[in-house]
Amino acid sequence: MRIDIITVQPALLESPLGHSMVKRAIDKGFADINVINLRDYALNRYGQIDDYQFGGGAGMVLMCEPLANAIDDLKAQRNYDDIIYTTPDGDVWNQKLANAFSLKENIIILCGHYKGIDERIRKLYVTKEISIGDFVLTGGELAAAIIADSIVRLIPGVLGNEESALSDSFQDGLLAPPVYTRPADFRGLKVPDILLSGHTKNIEEWRLEQAELRTQERRPDLLK
Ligand code: ADE
C-alpha cells in the first residue's frame, strides 16, 4: 500500500513514521509512505502557498494552485483510491475506517493548516474528510500520522502475530480485556487464577467476559 502525505510541515511526520511498527512495515515493503512538501509547489519564489481569506477574518488559507498542482502531479503517476483531508469537521476516524482503508492500494492524505484549505479543493479533489476527535490541532500532520499508523498496522503481514490485531480494542466492537505479565503477585495484587490455569478455552471465555464487562462500564455506546 502507498500513502502520499501532502503537508506544509514535513518535519512533524518524520518521527511518527520513522520508528517502531510503521518503520518496520516500510522497511519490509508492506507500506510505502511518502511525504510531499507543499512548498515545492509554491506559487512564487517567496514560497507562497497561503493567502488571506476573502471576506476578511483572521488566519491564512492554503491556496488552490499549490494544492492542485501537488495532487495532479501524484495523480499523473498512479491512480488513487481516495484523497483524505484532515479536518475537525470531518467524519470521526475509527477502527472500522482503519480496517477499510488498510485494503486500499494508493491514498493521498492532505494535511490542513492554519484556517484550512480553499473549499474548492475539497469540492474538486477530496473524497473523504476525516477528524481524529472533537478538538482542534495546530495542523493536520499529527492527525495524518495517527491515520497512517492505524492503517499500516492492519495491512496483512505487518503484525508478527496476526492474532494481536484481532484482539485489539474495537476490532470486534469491544474494548480489550485486561492483560498481565510476570510477576504473578505484585504488591499483593494477584493475577487472576484462570490466566495461570493453562486452560485455553476457559481463558478465552474469561477474556470475552472481561471485554464485555469493560465495554459495558466504559463505552456502553459501542454495544448499541
Ligand atoms: N486538524 C485540526 N484539528 C483536527 C482534528 N481534530 N482532526 C483532524 N484534523 C485536524
Side-chain angles (χ1 to χ4, degrees):
M1 176 186 196
R2 181 181 171 113
I3 305 178
D4 288 298
I5 306 178
I6 301 174
T7 169
V8 295
Q9 296 286 348
L12 277 176
L13 289 158
E14 275 167 24
S15 181
L17 302 177
H19 295 277
S20 186
M21 184 99 69
V22 177
K23 180 178 189 302
R24 257 180 288 141
I26 294 169
D27 290 347
K28 285 193 198 159
F30 288 111
D32 184 5
I33 306 186
N34 301 281
V35 177
I36 293 112
N37 190 342
L38 189 63
R39 284 255 181 233
D40 293 343
Y41 294 88
L43 273 194
N44 49 39
R45 63 192 171 91
Y46 305 108
Q48 190 179 5
I49 49 171
D50 58 3
D51 209 340
Y52 297 103
Q53 50 179 317
F54 280 124
M60 305 295 273
V61 175
L62 292 178
M63 303 170 83
C64 288
E65 286 99 327
L67 287 165
N69 290 338
I71 299 169
D72 286 344
D73 225 8
L74 290 169
K75 286 177 77 171
Q77 296 169 59
R78 66 195 66 78
N79 290 323
Y80 285 90
D81 301 300
D82 267 295
I83 301 180
I84 295 177
Y85 170 52
T86 57
T87 175
D89 61 4
D91 293 337
V92 179
W93 188 246
N94 59 26
Q95 193 66 18
K96 196 165 163 228
L97 285 166
N99 278 322
F101 275 87
S102 72
L103 302 174
K104 311 248 171 182
E105 197 86 39
N106 303 310
I107 62 169
I108 293 173
I109 305 179
L110 202 54
C111 302
H113 218 79
Y114 316 117
K115 270 285 165 207
I117 64 175
D118 190 297
E119 188 67 19
R120 291 164 290 185
I121 292 296
R122 296 171 75 156
K123 198 165 181 163
L124 289 172
Y125 289 97
V126 172
T127 58
K128 191 88 192 156
E129 303 188 323
I130 296 291
S131 164
I132 59 157
D134 290 342
F135 43 82
V136 179
L137 299 163
T138 315
E141 288 74 16
L142 298 178
I146 284 169
I147 292 166
D149 183 293
S150 58
I151 291 174
V152 165
R153 62 190 296 285
L154 292 172
I155 298 172
V158 168
L159 292 182
N161 175 1
E162 297 287 326
E163 278 272 290
S164 65
L166 297 176
S167 57
D168 282 343
S169 276
F170 305 114
Q171 199 62 24
D172 51 6
L174 294 173
L175 299 181
V179 292
Y180 299 86
T181 184
R182 286 187 293 180
D185 183 334
F186 180 66
R187 298 182 185 170
L189 293 176
K190 295 194 172 64
V191 172
D193 286 337
I194 192 155
L195 295 177
L196 309 174
S197 69
H199 198 303
T200 319
K201 191 163 169 289
N202 289 354
I203 291 173
E204 256 171 43
E205 277 169 18
W206 180 85
R207 284 187 170 144
L208 179 61
E209 233 173 70
Q210 292 293 313
E212 285 167 352
L213 200 65
R214 189 157 273 198
T215 310
Q216 185 62 255
E217 280 168 8
R218 301 182 183 195
R219 292 291 306 276
D221 56 299
L222 293 176
L223 297 172
K224 277 179 205 134

